[in-house]
Each structure stands twice: as structure tokens, then as C-alpha cells.
Amino acid sequence: MTAVQSRAVSPRTAPTENPDELARLVVTCIDRPGVVARVSSFLAEHAANIVQSDQDTTGPSGGRFFLRIVFHLYDLAAQLPALEHAFAVEVARPLGADYSFRPVAARTRTAVFASRHDHCLLDLLWRTRRGELPIDVVQVVSNHPDLADDVRAFGVPFTHIPVGRGPQAKEDAERRQLELVRGCGTELVVLARYMQILSANFLHSVGAPVINIHHSFLPAFAGAGPYSRAKERGVKLIGATAHYATEDLDEGPIIEQDVVRVDHRATVAELTRRGADIERTVLARAVAWHCDDRVLVDGRTTVVF
Amino acid sequence: MTAVQSRAVSPRTAPTENPDELARLVVTCIDRPGVVARVSSFLAEHAANIVQSDQDTTGPSGGRFFLRIVFHLYDLAAQLPALEHAFAVEVARPLGADYSFRPVAARTRTAVFASRHDHCLLDLLWRTRRGELPIDVVQVVSNHPDLADDVRAFGVPFTHIPVGRGPQAKEDAERRQLELVRGCGTELVVLARYMQILSANFLHSVGAPVINIHHSFLPAFAGAGPYSRAKERGVKLIGATAHYATEDLDEGPIIEQDVVRVDHRATVAELTRRGADIERTVLARAVAWHCDDRVLVDGRTTVVF
Amino acid sequence: MTAVQSRAVSPRTAPTENPDELARLVVTCIDRPGVVARVSSFLAEHAANIVQSDQDTTGPSGGRFFLRIVFHLYDLAAQLPALEHAFAVEVARPLGADYSFRPVAARTRTAVFASRHDHCLLDLLWRTRRGELPIDVVQVVSNHPDLADDVRAFGVPFTHIPVGRGPQAKEDAERRQLELVRGCGTELVVLARYMQILSANFLHSVGAPVINIHHSFLPAFAGAGPYSRAKERGVKLIGATAHYATEDLDEGPIIEQDVVRVDHRATVAELTRRGADIERTVLARAVAWHCDDRVLVDGRTTVVF
Amino acid sequence: MTAVQSRAVSPRTAPTENPDELARLVVTCIDRPGVVARVSSFLAEHAANIVQSDQDTTGPSGGRFFLRIVFHLYDLAAQLPALEHAFAVEVARPLGADYSFRPVAARTRTAVFASRHDHCLLDLLWRTRRGELPIDVVQVVSNHPDLADDVRAFGVPFTHIPVGRGPQAKEDAERRQLELVRGCGTELVVLARYMQILSANFLHSVGAPVINIHHSFLPAFAGAGPYSRAKERGVKLIGATAHYATEDLDEGPIIEQDVVRVDHRATVAELTRRGADIERTVLARAVAWHCDDRVLVDGRTTVVF
């Protein structure tokens, strides 16, 4: 350990803010003693300096271990492949751990599905343009042509794939969607108020996580028409929920939720309008956190660092 | 209208802050043109000056009319009975309206039901002692003796009415509860985390509105064990709901709700603890608003002015 | 009162949701007994049915009276001028009251001032296009040309009026701004992160209320650089404040404020980004409420119904 | 590293929830590469298993390093002194780091200062009794006798130390306070709406951190009378701030803040009442987090893990 120690105490001679030399490492495994030590020693031995780290263990015991580290490495682009290979052999394999390395500067190739509501979609496009979201929107897919001009004004491809009635039409549409999405190297699919249910087959085949925004504070008002049902029930707060889409509709792991206060004066239209503000905000947070590797799935729930 | 007009324009010669001369009037009826005019003209003609008023009409059409007025009347205690009588004859009867008059200084005689959890109960007692709640707690009823000393330290009567198993035992307990509650002129019953379900018969016979606090953001996690279920579902906010108790458990008109943010680190015990803070706050607001005549029931929902 | 009474009790035979027959009346005056009665009787006598009303009296005594009424009147467009005239003569003059009538369907002609930040401006334009804000943006004025294309894509005129250095250049710019704003019948000016201070002369001459959004939770961090100062001070929440602009910078009556939680990890850039979300939301609420006649100025503060 | 590795991969044979075997380690130092590795390797080598860890680096570069670790160690009570000694020699000294070890089960000996307001004080006592706060209230000191009975009902010593007028009287009172507080091994002083300013000498001599609750959203309304000033300014949210007390009044590092919405109807008394709810909640959170070693001072601000 001598070498490690002497490196450790040497002052950081050239502190850097260079984001091109920052990367993230995420590790999940069965909890065991010494995992943090192994991972952090590995990084120290490879001259990677930990800038930020979060670690947690869930479950009553024998639970899951979750670790997210941001580290600095000189000449990251050149060094990362070797680091990754060494990590796989020296750390991940012995621990039986899942892991991923990702440069902080990398942008997530994202396909967005929408229908007619524009608020979530436009908000994602605008935040991306402002540099708030570390994504490239590589494709917008919609079952309606309405938003084509808005999307193209951002320089983003828009494809109208109508979804006909009946199972066959839906299957055909999904086939086209899958081709399109997989054809552009999509790393993330965002359902920005896409008003169609995607099949289990689609979710399995798309090869990327799918984030959905539901216009209620789940599990309240799961399913259709949440604002009408909220009005009927007379709730005093309405909300929105961003979650990973799974086969079980509205049951996927929740990433983020928020609510806004309403009163008896609010009509269903007003609830819809106020809810739209929450939907776009919650969805943007969920996408940002996902792309920042801060969201780790733990069974039916998430760890959000 | 001449007399009314000339009175109206005379400057308020002796403006008063005397709360003993303030009262509230609440009116609900089928919506019709001119109701505000009738009520406010009636008050003006009787030298009652409107200090604050809220009015709303709910429903798409042919809806319900809701009005809450705070007014000042010199020598209120002596004048109010006559005003009330005149109102019944001149305004309420022709309009087919429900109404109530209540001096602002009046305190609501309140019975509180509790079990073992102390947070909602003690909070009500504290707030009452501090003068925050316009209530007199005339009786605390519990199916457990645990909180007797705490309650009596506030100078409030505490009665332990155990609830045995089986329908007969429950019926017996409810009979004793009803006698006790009705015997002390109760105007409001508050279920401060009372962990027993009250029968429809009790609710019909008690002769006072019943406010319950449910430890979830209804309709999410209605029923038992909401914090455990919230943990399993991985929600990012937990909440509490104060509502009028009805025969349909957890389905009564909602008075107030609030939520607090939680994260994956929170255990069920921690959710329970954080939720307790929201429960007591939401319940206190609901009781305060109810006693301030700000909560008007509209079918399965409430208007809160 | 007979006629009024018999009209009052007749059931609403043709309930209407026709927004073209709804209008708002706002009244402010020195508080006096009978004002509500006079106003509501006046409306009832003129066959205007009150749909919603809010009234309050502020100040310890001899205070200000504030009333906002939404009413229905058949054939509103044809009847409103006569109603308004009668109100002026019969009610407002004797009471010495300020008042305004405004059809609910009327849209407020709005000029927006911006600099380089796009978030508040685009959000107003989006919301207007979605039908969320009852405004017509008749002009966007900026001291920078950067946002011209974005604005024109909404079909809204954009005028670049550069502001040079020194008092004379500023005066010249304001002269051009005033001509432009007054020339298009502006009823409301919104400063959507316009980074220039407008002179007292401008505010007096523009002939319309001016709403500003300040990027802090006033009175904290009034003046320049609020996010940097928030970071230095280590606050745990940041906020935004919409207020009417007055000669005293950042001192005008507050319309709306909101905050968002931040932690020590947030850099100034991240505070700025998170704050932008609050700024646009708070500004949109303030504009909506203002145009809905819900904001009544009361000295240095506001009554918001 | 072989021994470490082989220990690391061995499955956790006897996972424990025994809180008596959990401890926290907090480390702060100048940021350097390898600190996490050194600390975590040290723990692994000493058979301490990391259960949770948070690490962050603040400042643009050459900044401060902050680390908080919760670890499990068999037979903690017996092993901790040796672990601590080894850590000092092997890790802290070479790194020039500040650090502390503390068993999770340890309770912080806390003295609470109060005046006449009971809400913050009673809330702390009640939460402590419920087991929500890991503290023992060893002494309550007040410059008024009013709350003596309430405090003693919790079995907590109450000492009335009146504070006379003039500097000498104040100095005398502080001398008595210091004797009392230091005499009972106080590890934390909480000012629960103690309405006297403590001198720099007191703060330096008391030998424990001092947490104060200020009844405004600092830096807004620093100083006296925040609720009156909030009313005059017409703010739409009021708040409270828990911070470490320093010589600069209301300028110490902020631990936690929160706000609540108010409207124009709220009088100063109502603001005071609603604010009291926020004060007690914010103070309880600050105390809990402090005692949980989650609050690390970073110059004029805090890192809260």
C-alpha cells in the first residue's frame, strides 16, 4: 500500500475543472464488506481522483450495495478503456458486480415519443438547447403530425408514425418505431406524454431504458383521466410522476414526483394546465438525473443519489 | 333602497376590532341570481357591516351556491338572535337555503378520539392552550389508557373506553362513546389517529361532524399500513389527508392534504416519523378551518374559503 | 326590493357557461358599511348574476375595501357599456370608489421586455399560444437582437432597441420604447428578465402597469447577482419574486413568490438554472392573476384573490 | 491488498442491524487524490464494513474534502478506541485531516435555552421522548420562569437565570449559564427562541456548538421583528432558518431553512402562528442532522449530507 499512500498525500498539483477529464463510475452488487475500499483503492492505484461519491446499502440485510463515483483522470479519453478493462477483471468480476463507466461530458442519445401535448416535449428540447440537459435528441416520434414544425425548428428530426386501430396496426407501428429508434443508436427513450401504451415486446426490444411521465401522483389515479378523477375526489394537491416504463402499466420504478396545490375553484381544465407545469418539471429532473447516472434501480424502486 | 344607500355611504364612524362584535354567516343553496344581493342587503338593512366575504358557485350549471361572510354588528350578543330569526324568515326560507350564524369569539366544543399515537392529540392540546385553535377540548376518549396523564396535564378529561373484540363489544363501546360525547355538548369530533373504525350508526348518531386524519395522501394508500406500502412502492413524497368521516372508509370529503419529500434512505420507521409531522399539521389546519366556518361540504368534496 | 326578490328566487332557467357573457367587476374604496350590499344589489337590479365574489378589508380600521366579482349578463357585449355608466353614477361616485369592468373573454394587450435570457420570454409565448394566458403579446422589445428569431416564430413582432451607455443614450432608448409601447395600445408591460433599470419617467409615462420578475426571494438578495450571493450565504432555498415595478428598485408591491430547495452541491450555474424554472413559473402566475383582475394593489403590498 | 480482497469478497455472513455496532466517521481535509481510498482501505483492513457513505469536494480547486461514513464493526464498544488511535496515526496525521468517530447509538448531551415561547422547546422535548431525536436534554435554561412546569413534566432540569439590564448583569448571567452548561457535560447548545443575544465570549467559552433558530428566511428580515416586517413588505411566503450561532448575529452558517405560504389576509399574529410551525420543524431537523453528523461546516456555509 506504500505507493498508494504516498500518492494520496501528495497535494493535488494541478487541480482541474476540465469536464473532459471527469467520468462517472456506478457499481451495484450484493452488499459485502470492503467494496468501497476495493473500488476506491482501484481508482487511486490508477491515478483516478474521486471528486464526489455516494454510497448506500438497501434492504434489511444481505441487501444491495449501490455506489456512484465521479472521478478525475488525466487524459481521460485515452485512459478510460484500459481503466475499464482493468476494473472488469480486478474488481467487478470477483465481486459479481454490475458497473458502468461514463465520461461526464458524454451526451445521452435520446429519442422522445409524443402525441399532441407539446409541453413536455418542447421543454425537453428547449432545456437541451440551453445546455441544461446532457442529451442529444436524435429523434422525435409521434402518432400525430401536429408538432412537426415545432420540433424541426430545433433542428431535430421528427417522424410521424400513425398508430391505427387494432393489434395488427399497433404491432406494425411499433415495428417501425423500433427500427427508427434502434437505427439511431438510442440510449434513452422518453415518453413525453405519449398517449399510447407500448407493448412488453417493444420495451424488451428497444434496447434502452424508457422513462415515462404520468400525470398524477402515483399510485393515486393510475390509469386514464387522472385530472378528472382528481377533481371528482376533491384532492387539494395534484402531481406528476416520472418512472421507468415496465410491462405493468404505471407500476414501474418511480424516479421523481412532485405536486402543486389546487383548490375547489380549479376546473378540470385548470388542473390540467397546472399539472402540465409539474409534468414538464418532473420529467426534466428525471431525465437529467438518469443521464447523470444518479438513478439506480432497486427492484421496484429507485435509489436516487 | 334609499335608507340602505344613505347608510352605506356614511363613513364608518367607529371602526372596531372588537372580536366580540364579529360573527360569521354561512349560506348554501341552489344557485340563483341575486343571492349575494339579498343576503348583503339584508345585512346592511340590519346594520351589520361585512368585513370579509367569499362566494363561489360550483358545478357546471344549476350548481350549488356557497357564501361565507364575516360581519360586524354592534352589541352582537344581544342582537344576534333577532338577526338570525329575521334572516330565517326573510332570506333563508324563500331561497330554500341552509345557513348558520356563529360569533367569531365562540369556541367549538370538541371531543378528541385517540389510541396510542400521541402526536396529533398533543398537538391539538398544545395549540388549543396557545390560543391557536378556537376550540375547547371537552373530552378525550381512547381505547388505550396510555395517554391519560399527558391529557390530564392539560386539564382535559380523559376517558378510557376499551374496545373488545367482536361486533357486540364494539357496539357496547360505541354506546358508551356516544353517551359520553353527546353528554358534553360536543359540536365536533376529531379522530386524532384513532385506530378503530367507527360504525355508520355512530356517525349518524353522534350529532356532530367527525374529522379524521388519514396517514397517506389519499386516494393513494387508502386503508391500512400506508407507510409500509409507500416504502414498497418507492414514492418520493408521503402525505396526510384530513377529511370528514363518512360510512365509506377513507372516502369522505377531503378538507386538507399535504406532503413531504422523502428519499430511498428513509426506512418505514422514518417515513412514519416524517409523516407524523405532516399528519399533525394537516389535522390542525383542518380543525382550525372547520371551526372558522371555512369548510363547506359540496357532495363528495369541499369548498374551502 | 320586491322586484329584486322575486327575480332572485326564480330558478336559474338557462344556466350558461358562455364565457362571452361573463365579466369581472373590481371595486376598491375606503371601507364603509353596506358596500357589498350596494354593489350586489346594483348588479341584481341590472340582471347581472354573481358567479363568484371575493371581498376583503385591510388595515386595522378605517381601512381599504377590496371587492372582485365575476358576473353573468345576457348579451354582455351590448349591455356592458350601459351597465358601466349606471354603475359610475349610482354606485362609484357616491362611494368615491375606484372600479373597473372587464369581459372575462377580453385579452390583455401585453408588451414584453427582454434581454438575452430566453426562459421567461419563451414561457410567456408558449403559454399564450397554448391558451393558458389571456394575453396578446403585441410587442417584444429587447436591448439585444439574440431572441429575434425565436420570438418571430410565434408570429410576434420583435424590436431591437439597443441601450447605449450614459444617461442620454438611455433616455433616447426609453423614448423609442415608449413610442413603440404606447403606439400599440399596450395594457400591460412585462419585464421578462430585462436587465436594464427603467427610469421613473418611463414608469410614469408608459400608461400601463409594469410587472417585473426578480431572481431572488425578495427582500433577500435585492439588487444584482442574487444567485452568487445566495451561494456565498449558503441558503437552502432559492426563489423568485414577481412584483409591480416602481421607482424604488425591487421595492414594488409583491404579486407572487416561490422557492425551490437547493443543496451545497449546487454551483452558481446550477442555482441559476434551477432559479430559472421558478422565475418563469412565478412570472406566469403573476401575469395570469393580474390579467384575471385578481391582484389589487394596497399601498406597498397586494391583495391577491 | 490480498488480505483485503479476500475479506471483501467473502459474503457478509452475519449481517447485522445491531445499532450498537454502528458508528460514524467524519473526515475533512484539503482535497487530495486518494483520500477515499485511504480511509476506506483503513476501515476494510480493520474489519469495519461501510454501510453508507457520502463524500464531496467543495470550492473551485484545491478545495475542501468532506467525507461521512457509517460503518459496522463487531464489538464496537471494545474496538473503537483502538480503531480511533490507529486512524489518527495512520490516516489523519499524514493527511492533516480533522476527523471524528462517534457510535450511532450515542446520544448528544444537549442544553436548551428558551425564553417565553414554548413551541420550539416543547417540540424538542416531545421528539426526544418519542425517540425521534438522538439527544438527552440535560438542562433547560431560561431567562423567564414561565416554562418551568412544562419542562419538569418531561423529567428535565429547568434553571431560571434572569438576565438583568446593562452589560454587567448580562455578564453575570452568562457566567452562571456557562457554569451550568459546562458543568453537565454539554455537547450541544440549542437556542429555542431564546430572545437574548449571547456574547462572543459566551460562544467561545461554552465549548460546544450552538444552534439558533431565526424566525425568518435569512438573509431576509435579519434582526428583530421579522413577522411585522414580512407583513409590511407583503411577502407571499414566510420562513425560518436554523444556523450555527457566531459572533455575527444572524450570519452564522445555515443548516436548514423552510417556508410556508401566506396571503394578504394573514395578520402579524397569524404570520407568527404559522411561522411557529416552521420554526419548530426546521429546528428539529437541524438538531437531528447535527447529531447525526450530517452537517459539516465549510467556512460561512454548510455541507449537509
Side-chain angles (χ1 to χ4, degrees):
Chain A
M1 288 279 292
T2 317
V4 175
Q5 285 188 15
S6 59
R7 198 186 301 122
V9 295
S10 63
R12 215 206 244 194
T13 46
T16 178
E17 290 301 294
N18 184 354
D20 290 339
E21 296 187 332
L22 292 175
R24 286 185 298 267
L25 165 61
V26 172
V27 180
T28 65
C29 60
I30 304 290
D31 186 35
R32 296 194 158 89
V35 184
V36 175
R38 285 192 71 164
V39 173
S40 57
S41 296
F42 171 88
L43 291 174
E45 287 159 20
H46 290 78
N49 185 37
I50 296 177
V51 171
Q52 190 179 79
S53 82
D54 292 282
Q55 181 267 326
D56 216 341
T57 313
T58 65
S61 65
R64 299 283 302 164
F65 171 97
F66 297 89
L67 176 65
R68 175 188 183 270
I69 285 177
V70 182
F71 62 89
H72 173 263
L73 184 65
Y74 285 104
D75 199 11
L76 180 77
Q79 303 299 326
L80 192 55
L83 186 78
E84 216 169 323
H85 179 74
F87 187 84
V89 173
E90 298 172 29
V91 182
R93 207 168 299 164
L95 288 172
D98 291 327
Y99 70 97
S100 73
F101 283 89
R102 190 172 173 82
V104 165
R107 300 171 69 76
T108 302
R109 296 178 63 80
T110 304
V112 182
F113 281 49
S115 288
R116 280 195 169 109
H117 294 294
D118 64 354
H119 56 283
C120 287
L121 172 61
L122 290 184
D123 203 54
L124 289 175
L125 293 171
W126 170 75
R127 287 181 195 270
T128 303
R129 186 178 76 177
R130 290 184 89 203
E132 281 189 17
L133 289 177
I135 65 175
D136 287 323
V137 181
V138 292
Q139 184 63 244
V140 171
V141 180
S142 179
N143 56 330
H144 292 287
D146 314 38
L147 302 174
D149 288 351
D150 279 335
V151 171
R152 287 173 187 145
F154 282 91
V156 168
F158 176 95
T159 306
H160 173 214
I161 300 182
V163 181
R165 300 199 165 222
Q168 186 57 48
K170 186 169 170 181
E171 206 182 308
D172 292 346
E174 286 198 349
R175 195 176 327 108
R176 286 190 58 200
Q177 291 167 346
L178 280 172
E179 270 170 36
L180 189 66
V181 166
R182 289 190 302 207
C184 51
T186 300
E187 297 167 292
L188 173 67
V189 175
V190 177
L191 307 182
R193 296 298 309 279
Y194 181 64
M195 304 303 279
Q196 301 279 324
I197 295 169
L198 294 168
S199 70
N201 176 59
F202 180 94
L203 295 171
H204 289 145
S205 309
V206 71
V210 177
I211 294 177
N212 183 44
I213 179 75
H214 190 269
H215 43 319
S216 83
F217 179 78
L218 289 175
F221 309 121
Y227 293 124
S228 300
R229 289 151 65 205
K231 178 67 184 171
E232 277 163 30
R233 186 63 189 89
V235 292
K236 303 303 183 188
L237 300 163
I238 57 167
T241 304
H243 62 93
Y244 289 112
T246 60
E247 291 179 51
D248 301 312
L249 197 65
D250 300 336
E251 292 286 331
I254 294 172
I255 303 170
E256 170 62 341
Q257 304 186 285
D258 214 340
V259 294
V260 68
R261 191 161 281 276
V262 295
D263 67 17
H264 67 273
R265 291 193 173 175
T267 58
V268 174
E270 172 72 8
L271 295 184
T272 304
R273 192 185 76 62
R274 299 209 73 171
D277 272 6
I278 301 296
E279 293 164 30
R280 67 177 185 174
T281 307
V282 165
L283 181 59
R285 277 187 220 145
V287 169
W289 297 347
H290 171 87
C291 295
D292 206 22
D293 290 329
R294 293 175 57 186
V295 188
L296 287 66
V297 173
D298 181 24
R300 289 181 59 214
T301 69
T302 60
V303 166
V304 180
F305 282 134
Chain B
M1 290 279 290
T2 317
V4 175
Q5 286 188 14
S6 60
R7 197 186 304 120
V9 295
S10 65
R12 214 207 245 195
T13 46
T16 179
E17 290 301 294
N18 185 354
D20 290 338
E21 296 187 332
L22 293 175
R24 287 185 296 268
L25 166 61
V26 171
V27 180
T28 64
C29 60
I30 303 290
D31 186 34
R32 297 193 157 89
V35 185
V36 175
R38 286 193 69 165
V39 173
S40 56
S41 296
F42 171 87
L43 291 174
E45 287 159 19
H46 290 79
N49 185 37
I50 297 176
V51 171
Q52 191 180 77
S53 82
D54 291 282
Q55 181 267 324
D56 216 340
T57 313
T58 64
S61 64
R64 299 284 302 164
F65 171 96
F66 297 89
L67 175 65
R68 176 188 183 270
I69 285 177
V70 182
F71 62 88
H72 174 262
L73 184 65
Y74 283 105
D75 200 11
L76 180 78
Q79 302 299 326
L80 192 55
L83 187 78
E84 214 168 325
H85 179 74
F87 188 83
V89 173
E90 297 172 31
V91 182
R93 206 166 300 163
L95 288 172
D98 292 327
Y99 70 96
S100 72
F101 283 90
R102 192 173 172 81
V104 164
R107 299 171 70 77
T108 303
R109 295 177 64 80
T110 304
V112 182
F113 281 47
S115 288
R116 280 196 169 110
H117 295 294
D118 65 353
H119 56 285
C120 287
L121 172 62
L122 289 184
D123 203 54
L124 291 175
L125 293 171
W126 277 344
R127 290 180 192 269
T128 303
R129 188 175 73 174
R130 294 181 77 204
E132 281 187 18
L133 288 177
I135 65 175
D136 287 323
V137 181
V138 292
Q139 184 63 242
V140 171
V141 181
S142 178
N143 55 331
H144 292 288
D146 314 36
L147 303 174
D149 288 349
D150 280 335
V151 171
R152 287 174 187 144
F154 284 89
V156 168
F158 176 94
T159 306
H160 174 215
I161 301 181
V163 182
R165 300 203 165 215
Q168 186 57 47
K170 186 169 170 180
E171 206 181 307
D172 292 346
E174 287 198 350
R175 195 175 330 106
R176 287 190 58 199
Q177 291 167 344
L178 281 171
E179 270 169 38
L180 189 67
V181 167
R182 289 189 302 208
C184 52
T186 301
E187 297 167 293
L188 174 67
V189 176
V190 177
L191 308 181
R193 296 297 310 278
Y194 181 63
M195 304 302 280
Q196 300 281 323
I197 295 169
L198 294 168
S199 70
N201 176 59
F202 179 94
L203 295 171
H204 289 144
S205 309
V206 72
V210 178
I211 294 178
N212 183 45
I213 181 75
H214 190 269
H215 43 318
S216 83
F217 180 77
L218 289 176
F221 309 121
Y227 293 124
S228 299
R229 288 150 66 206
K231 179 66 184 172
E232 277 163 30
R233 186 63 188 87
V235 291
K236 303 303 183 187
L237 300 163
I238 58 167
T241 304
H243 62 93
Y244 289 114
T246 60
E247 293 179 50
D248 302 311
L249 196 66
D250 299 336
E251 291 287 330
I254 294 171
I255 303 170
E256 171 62 344
Q257 304 185 285
D258 213 339
V259 294
V260 67
R261 189 162 283 275
V262 296
D263 67 17
H264 67 273
R265 291 191 172 178
T267 58
V268 173
E270 172 73 7
L271 295 184
T272 304
R273 195 185 74 63
R274 301 208 71 172
D277 272 5
I278 300 297
E279 292 166 31
R280 65 178 185 170
T281 307
V282 165
L283 180 59
R285 277 187 221 146
V287 170
W289 296 347
H290 171 87
C291 296
D292 206 22
D293 291 329
R294 293 174 58 186
V295 188
L296 287 67
V297 173
D298 182 23
R300 289 181 59 214
T301 69
T302 61
V303 167
V304 180
F305 282 134
Chain C
M1 290 279 291
T2 317
V4 175
Q5 285 187 16
S6 60
R7 196 186 303 121
V9 295
S10 62
R12 214 207 243 194
T13 47
T16 179
E17 290 300 294
N18 184 354
D20 290 338
E21 297 186 331
L22 293 175
R24 285 185 297 266
L25 165 61
V26 172
V27 180
T28 64
C29 60
I30 303 291
D31 186 33
R32 296 193 157 89
V35 184
V36 175
R38 284 192 72 165
V39 173
S40 57
S41 296
F42 171 87
L43 290 174
E45 287 158 20
H46 290 79
N49 185 37
I50 296 176
V51 172
Q52 190 180 79
S53 82
D54 291 282
Q55 182 267 325
D56 216 341
T57 312
T58 64
S61 65
R64 299 283 303 164
F65 171 96
F66 297 89
L67 176 65
R68 175 188 182 270
I69 285 177
V70 182
F71 62 89
H72 174 263
L73 184 65
Y74 284 105
D75 200 11
L76 180 78
Q79 302 299 326
L80 192 55
L83 187 78
E84 216 168 324
H85 179 74
F87 188 84
V89 173
E90 297 173 30
V91 182
R93 208 166 299 163
L95 288 172
D98 291 328
Y99 71 98
S100 72
F101 283 91
R102 189 172 173 83
V104 164
R107 299 172 70 77
T108 302
R109 296 177 63 80
T110 304
V112 182
F113 281 48
S115 288
R116 280 194 169 113
H117 294 294
D118 65 353
H119 56 284
C120 287
L121 172 62
L122 289 184
D123 202 54
L124 290 175
L125 294 171
W126 276 345
R127 289 180 193 269
T128 303
R129 188 176 74 175
R130 294 181 77 203
E132 281 187 19
L133 289 177
I135 66 175
D136 287 324
V137 180
V138 293
Q139 184 64 243
V140 171
V141 181
S142 178
N143 56 330
H144 291 288
D146 314 37
L147 302 174
D149 288 350
D150 278 335
V151 170
R152 287 174 187 145
F154 284 88
V156 167
F158 177 95
T159 306
H160 173 215
I161 301 182
V163 181
R165 299 199 166 221
Q168 186 56 46
K170 186 169 169 179
E171 206 181 309
D172 291 347
E174 285 199 350
R175 195 177 328 107
R176 287 190 58 199
Q177 291 167 346
L178 281 172
E179 269 170 37
L180 189 67
V181 167
R182 290 190 301 208
C184 52
T186 300
E187 297 167 293
L188 174 67
V189 175
V190 177
L191 307 181
R193 296 297 310 280
Y194 180 63
M195 304 303 280
Q196 299 279 324
I197 294 169
L198 293 168
S199 70
N201 175 58
F202 180 94
L203 294 171
H204 289 145
S205 308
V206 71
V210 177
I211 294 177
N212 183 45
I213 180 76
H214 189 269
H215 43 319
S216 83
F217 180 77
L218 290 175
F221 309 121
Y227 292 124
S228 299
R229 288 151 65 207
K231 179 66 184 171
E232 277 164 29
R233 186 63 188 89
V235 292
K236 302 303 183 187
L237 300 163
I238 56 167
T241 303
H243 62 93
Y244 289 113
T246 60
E247 292 179 50
D248 301 311
L249 196 65
D250 300 336
E251 291 287 329
I254 294 171
I255 303 170
E256 170 63 343
Q257 304 186 286
D258 214 339
V259 294
V260 68
R261 191 161 281 275
V262 295
D263 68 17
H264 67 273
R265 291 191 173 178
T267 58
V268 174
E270 172 72 7
L271 295 184
T272 304
R273 193 185 75 63
R274 299 209 73 171
D277 272 5
I278 300 296
E279 292 165 30
R280 64 179 186 170
T281 307
V282 165
L283 181 59
R285 277 188 220 145
V287 169
W289 296 347
H290 171 87
C291 295
D292 206 21
D293 291 328
R294 293 175 58 186
V295 189
L296 287 67
V297 173
D298 182 24
R300 289 181 59 214
T301 68
T302 61
V303 166
V304 180
F305 283 134
Chain D
M1 288 279 292
T2 316
V4 175
Q5 285 188 15
S6 59
R7 197 186 302 120
V9 295
S10 64
R12 217 206 240 194
T13 47
T16 179
E17 291 300 292
N18 184 355
D20 290 338
E21 297 187 330
L22 292 175
R24 287 184 297 266
L25 166 61
V26 172
V27 180
T28 63
C29 61
I30 304 290
D31 187 33
R32 298 193 156 90
V35 184
V36 175
R38 284 191 72 162
V39 173
S40 56
S41 296
F42 171 88
L43 291 173
E45 287 160 19
H46 290 78
N49 185 37
I50 297 176
V51 172
Q52 191 180 76
S53 82
D54 291 282
Q55 181 268 323
D56 215 342
T57 313
T58 63
S61 65
R64 299 284 301 164
F65 171 96
F66 297 89
L67 175 65
R68 175 188 182 270
I69 285 177
V70 182
F71 63 88
H72 174 262
L73 184 66
Y74 284 105
D75 200 11
L76 180 77
Q79 303 299 326
L80 192 54
L83 187 77
E84 215 169 323
H85 178 73
F87 187 84
V89 173
E90 297 173 30
V91 183
R93 205 167 300 163
L95 288 172
D98 292 327
Y99 70 96
S100 73
F101 283 89
R102 190 173 173 81
V104 165
R107 300 172 70 77
T108 303
R109 295 177 65 80
T110 304
V112 182
F113 281 48
S115 289
R116 281 196 169 109
H117 294 293
D118 65 354
H119 56 284
C120 287
L121 172 61
L122 290 184
D123 203 55
L124 290 175
L125 293 172
W126 170 74
R127 288 180 194 270
T128 303
R129 187 177 76 176
R130 292 184 86 203
E132 281 188 18
L133 289 177
I135 66 176
D136 287 323
V137 181
V138 292
Q139 185 63 243
V140 171
V141 180
S142 178
N143 55 331
H144 292 287
D146 315 37
L147 303 175
D149 288 351
D150 280 335
V151 170
R152 288 172 188 147
F154 283 92
V156 167
F158 176 95
T159 306
H160 174 214
I161 301 181
V163 181
R165 298 199 167 224
Q168 185 57 46
K170 187 169 169 178
E171 206 181 308
D172 291 346
E174 287 198 349
R175 195 174 329 106
R176 287 190 58 200
Q177 291 166 345
L178 281 172
E179 270 169 37
L180 189 67
V181 167
R182 289 189 302 208
C184 51
T186 301
E187 297 168 292
L188 173 67
V189 175
V190 177
L191 308 181
R193 296 298 309 280
Y194 180 63
M195 305 303 280
Q196 299 280 325
I197 295 169
L198 293 168
S199 70
N201 176 58
F202 180 94
L203 295 171
H204 289 145
S205 309
V206 72
V210 177
I211 294 178
N212 183 45
I213 180 74
H214 190 269
H215 43 319
S216 84
F217 180 78
L218 290 175
F221 309 122
Y227 293 124
S228 300
R229 289 151 65 206
K231 179 66 184 171
E232 277 163 31
R233 186 62 189 89
V235 292
K236 303 303 184 187
L237 300 163
I238 57 168
T241 304
H243 63 93
Y244 290 113
T246 60
E247 293 180 49
D248 302 311
L249 196 66
D250 300 336
E251 291 287 331
I254 294 171
I255 303 170
E256 170 63 343
Q257 304 185 286
D258 213 340
V259 294
V260 68
R261 189 162 283 274
V262 295
D263 67 17
H264 66 273
R265 291 192 172 176
T267 59
V268 174
E270 172 72 8
L271 295 184
T272 304
R273 193 185 76 62
R274 300 209 73 172
D277 272 5
I278 301 297
E279 292 164 31
R280 67 177 185 174
T281 308
V282 165
L283 180 59
R285 277 188 221 144
V287 170
W289 297 347
H290 171 87
C291 296
D292 206 22
D293 291 328
R294 293 174 58 185
V295 188
L296 287 67
V297 173
D298 182 24
R300 290 181 58 214
T301 69
T302 61
V303 166
V304 181
F305 282 133

